Amino acid sequence: MSETPNPPPHGSPPLSTNPGESGNAQLIYILYLAGLVVGITPIIGVVMAYMAKDDAPDWLRSHYRNQIHVFWKAILYSLVGVILSIVLIGLVVLLVTLVWYIVRIVKGLQALSKGEPYTNPDSWGF
């Protein structure tokens, strides 16, 4: 017996019906995580995000925006942390930046796996 799925209730985020649609965004999140060990992979990821953002559906475009913002904000936070390392508070800034980076990526992966847009990709916080 074949059941037809119910459409999502009004106001619910659109769910991805094509699993291959979000593969690029998922790869970029993985490249960002790999960057914690390898170092160069986030640069590849941000280039991929810039290239894919214009052709993506709205819900997926929010993930690309998040990825682009995470890349540039992580660089900014890290530079501030390095500069402030002279007075030792920079080490705390660098640690908070690392936690922020990982949280944003994990939140993005979770939303992506549900087929939901990233909520508030332009945020400077968690």
Side-chain angles (χ1 to χ4, degrees), residues 35-49:
L36 295 172
V37 177
V38 179
I40 189 93
T41 58
I43 296 170
I44 297 166
V46 77
V47 169
M48 290 174 63

Side-chain angles (χ1 to χ4, degrees), residues 101-119:
Y101 183 81
I102 293 170
V103 167
R104 292 287 294 242
I105 293 169
V106 169
K107 282 176 59 179
L109 281 169
Q110 288 175 339
L112 192 63
S113 71
K114 296 175 187 174
E116 298 174 350
Y118 191 93
T119 55

Side-chain angles (χ1 to χ4, degrees), residues 44-66:
I44 297 166
V46 77
V47 169
M48 290 174 63
Y50 272 114
M51 290 173 52
K53 71 179 175 117
D54 293 331
D55 298 330
D58 287 340
W59 75 272
L60 194 53
R61 192 172 299 140
S62 70
H63 286 279
Y64 292 129
R65 277 195 11 238
N66 176 55

Side-chain angles (χ1 to χ4, degrees), residues 45-99:
V46 77
V47 169
M48 290 174 63
Y50 272 114
M51 290 173 52
K53 71 179 175 117
D54 293 331
D55 298 330
D58 287 340
W59 75 272
L60 194 53
R61 192 172 299 140
S62 70
H63 286 279
Y64 292 129
R65 277 195 11 238
N66 176 55
Q67 292 164 342
I68 291 166
H69 284 260
V70 164
F71 178 83
W72 291 113
K73 290 173 186 173
I75 288 177
L76 176 65
Y77 291 159
S78 296
L79 286 174
V80 169
V82 167
I83 292 168
L84 290 176
S85 291
I86 297 168
V87 291
L88 298 179
I89 194 158
L91 300 176
V92 174
V93 172
L94 290 172
L95 180 61
V96 170
T97 299
L98 176 65
V99 170

